[in-house]
Amino acid sequence: MNEKKYILGQYFTREEIVRKVIDLILEFKKYDKNIRILEPSFGTGNFIKVLREKGFKNIEGCEIDPAFTNTPQDFFLYPLDKKFDLIVGNPPFTKYNVKESYFYPKKYFLSPLHPGNYLPRDLLKRNKIRMENAFILKSLKHLKDENSAIGFVLPISFFIEGKNLETKKMIIKKLRTIIVYQNDKKWVDEPIPCGFGIFTNIEEYRDKVILIYENEEKMKVVLNISKILTDELIPKSYLYKKHNNLDGESLSKFLSDRPVKYKKSYIKNNISGSNILERTKIPDEENVKDYYLAVVRVGNASVGRAGLINIKKDILNDMFYVFAFKEEYNNNKEIKEKICKILNENQNYFKNITFRVGSKSIKKRDILNFKINLK
Ligand SMILES: C[S@@+](CC[C@H](N)C(=O)[O-])C[C@H]1O[C@@H](n2cnc3c(N)ncnc32)[C@H](O)[C@@H]1O
């Protein structure tokens, strides 16, 4: 493993993507070619190159690694009196298992630029925070005025609900238009699903979040900005759910969300993702009440598969969520089998909403919120 690469988050954006996201910024707002632009972590300089090609003249940059520049500059020591109309690039991301890839506020307490100047108090007290959050928070302080913008490549997991809330709150204090762009291309050489976040103020989209997902076609949805704090705003899965959610009633009407105790073992299990599809009926001689719903929660091929398991006899591996049926449906063989059947007919739905991190995995609430029509 190349340590430096992971410590400094050196995952360079492919040029085709750089062009795409810069065009996106320019599509939403017209900029004079003389605006002041900052690329806070320019690496190989691919953002600066494309911006110059577009005619922008006034570009400054920081890069900490002397391998890429004769004048290395730590962005966190870059003076805050420098203000910009546009701050654009791909900041380093923290890799959760590389401890040096986090931002440690204390490290800068004795430096000429105390992090208290750009971190909210809650974060200042933390031992460590994610590097991309520190980059966003400091960039907010470099903005010239309310017309300025930040456009960053970010791990798409940044937009998962409840994550990075302090940073999201600081963003929307100043900038009331958010655009999140995602497409089906590979953005960097690491297997990190990325997106592009634009944080700015656009009169027409004041207090809005715009989610855009592009594959063969471009899909877009405009939402209230408050959703950034409450919802998962990943364009691909959000738009997929919006276009493909069936009509009907949420499964939470039929299923309980209380944790279920069931027999689990990797070695002795008789049920796994590969044979769960053989368990979609309740045998006639069995007690219907003993049958619970098991849905595969991970795995590229089997995520979303459903079966009915006997809670007293069956042993599962750990690939499942197991749900009890609500009391009023617990003795209803027909409903239990029908729910199982509908889930299996819609396995593609579950495959398509699993873009949060690299591997395919769904959450319990993805199942509970899934709508079905029993008629
Ligand atoms: C994800 S790469 C992005 C480079 C470029 N923007 C791109 O998209 O190709 C992040 C860059 O940030 C640099 N970097 C890491 N910490 C930094 C810091 N504190 N100040 C400035 N640059 C930093 C790394 O060396 C790396 O080149």
Side-chain angles (χ1 to χ4, degrees):
M1 177 158 108
N2 180 346
E3 282 295 328
K4 186 178 86 173
K5 173 173 167 180
Y6 294 108
I7 292 171
L8 292 178
Q10 294 179 329
Y11 319 126
F12 302 112
T13 322
R14 297 189 167 184
E15 193 166 318
E16 129 193 56
I17 301 294
V18 176
R19 289 184 190 283
K20 192 95 219 171
V21 297
I22 288 179
D23 284 346
L24 188 75
I25 295 176
L26 304 180
E27 182 188 316
F28 275 91
K29 215 172 191 166
K30 298 287 159 262
Y31 288 97
D32 188 278
K33 299 293 182 213
N34 291 315
I35 58 161
R36 282 173 58 80
I37 303 180
L38 173 69
E39 178 8 329
S41 56
F42 62 75
T44 53
N46 48 7
F47 274 87
I48 295 178
K49 178 178 158 224
V50 174
L51 285 162
R52 289 223 172 98
E53 278 172 24
K54 299 258 175 213
F56 290 99
K57 301 180 191 82
N58 216 339
I59 310 170
E60 286 188 32
C62 298
E63 170 54 53
I64 202 167
D65 186 351
F68 296 110
T69 171
N70 295 329
T71 51
Q73 168 72 53
D74 180 347
F75 176 55
F76 295 106
L77 297 177
Y78 191 63
L80 270 180
D81 58 357
K82 288 180 173 267
K83 305 290 181 197
F84 298 90
D85 300 287
L86 181 60
I87 302 180
V88 67
N90 176 355
F93 313 154
T94 287
K95 197 170 159 64
Y96 76 96
N97 56 355
V98 178
K99 67 177 191 317
E100 300 92 333
S101 70
Y102 285 84
F103 177 82
Y104 294 84
K106 265 208 190 89
K107 185 178 146 193
Y108 291 91
F109 277 3
L110 296 177
S111 78
L113 181 46
H114 192 281
N117 287 296
Y118 51 89
L119 291 188
R121 213 176 301 155
D122 284 359
L123 293 186
L124 195 61
K125 284 191 274 185
R126 298 249 179 102
N127 172 37
K128 61 178 186 186
I129 62 177
R130 294 187 64 90
M131 186 58 87
E132 57 272 30
N133 285 333
F135 260 75
I136 294 174
L137 291 163
K138 182 157 189 273
S139 296
L140 285 169
K141 300 286 180 186
H142 282 286
L143 295 179
K144 197 170 96 191
D145 55 35
E146 70 280 3
N147 279 317
S148 309
I150 296 174
F152 276 168
V153 174
L154 291 169
I156 201 68
S157 57
F158 177 84
F159 296 100
I160 292 180
E161 72 184 73
K163 286 213 171 185
N164 313 301
L165 277 180
E166 302 84 356
T167 306
K168 289 172 178 171
K169 281 184 194 154
M170 292 303 284
I171 293 171
I172 63 174
K173 256 190 191 175
K174 271 195 179 173
L175 305 171
R176 302 296 298 176
T177 306
I178 296 178
I179 300 157
V180 187
Y181 172 85
Q182 194 183 16
N183 64 19
D184 57 353
K185 302 273 185 324
K186 205 167 157 60
W187 287 39
V188 293
D189 286 337
E190 290 291 303
I192 308 170
C194 294
F196 195 68
I198 302 176
F199 309 110
T200 187
N201 286 305
I202 300 174
E203 201 40 50
E204 188 192 344
Y205 292 112
R206 196 174 162 75
D207 296 338
K208 303 286 183 219
V209 181
I210 307 165
L211 304 185
I212 303 169
Y213 178 67
E214 190 172 19
N215 46 13
E216 299 91 60
E217 50 172 343
K218 206 169 181 174
M219 289 182 282
K220 178 172 141 180
V221 60
V222 180
L223 307 164
N224 192 289
I225 200 165
S226 60
K227 288 208 183 291
I228 193 83
L229 301 178
T230 56
D231 286 39
E232 177 172 293
L233 297 185
I234 296 183
K236 188 169 183 174
S237 47
Y238 195 98
L239 284 154
Y240 186 88
K241 280 185 206 168
K242 184 170 176 296
H243 293 298
N244 291 280
N245 217 343
L246 308 179
D247 292 334
E249 289 166 312
S250 300
L251 275 182
S252 56
K253 179 177 171 199
F254 307 94
L255 303 176
S256 156
D257 63 0
R258 72 174 160 83
V260 171
K261 276 206 177 125
Y262 61 96
K263 298 194 185 90
K264 215 191 276 185
S265 164
Y266 299 110
I267 303 155
K268 295 188 205 138
N269 68 305
N270 64 323
I271 306 246
S272 66
S274 50
N275 69 5
I276 186 71
L277 292 179
E278 294 158 21
R279 307 297 296 264
T280 56
K281 298 274 184 232
I282 300 173
D284 285 340
E285 66 283 6
E286 296 280 357
N287 184 351
V288 174
K289 287 190 176 174
D290 290 342
Y291 280 78
Y292 285 49
L293 182 74
V295 183
V296 178
R297 59 179 183 85
V298 286
N300 290 356
S302 49
V303 68
R305 284 183 185 169
L308 292 162
I309 57 129
N310 186 313
I311 202 74
K312 293 184 177 149
K313 299 183 194 162
D314 288 323
I315 307 172
L316 282 64
N317 62 9
D318 75 339
M319 287 178 78
F320 293 92
Y321 290 125
V322 177
F323 296 91
F325 287 86
K326 287 198 170 155
E327 193 53 39
E328 55 273 42
Y329 304 102
N330 207 16
N331 213 7
N332 192 327
K333 182 172 183 308
E334 197 191 334
I335 284 198
K336 287 186 172 184
E337 291 181 349
K338 191 125 193 215
I339 287 174
C340 187
K341 181 167 180 271
I342 294 175
L343 279 172
N344 285 323
E345 284 167 356
N346 288 283
Q347 206 205 329
N348 259 338
Y349 174 87
F350 292 100
K351 283 192 177 165
N352 276 299
I353 61 167
T354 53
F355 297 102
R356 302 183 173 97
V357 286
S359 58
K360 292 209 178 292
S361 68
I362 53 174
K363 299 201 168 155
K364 243 181 146 178
R365 70 175 151 71
D366 291 327
I367 300 162
L368 291 167
N369 292 342
F370 183 70
K371 293 214 173 84
I372 61 165
N373 199 336
L374 284 180
K375 278 171 224 109

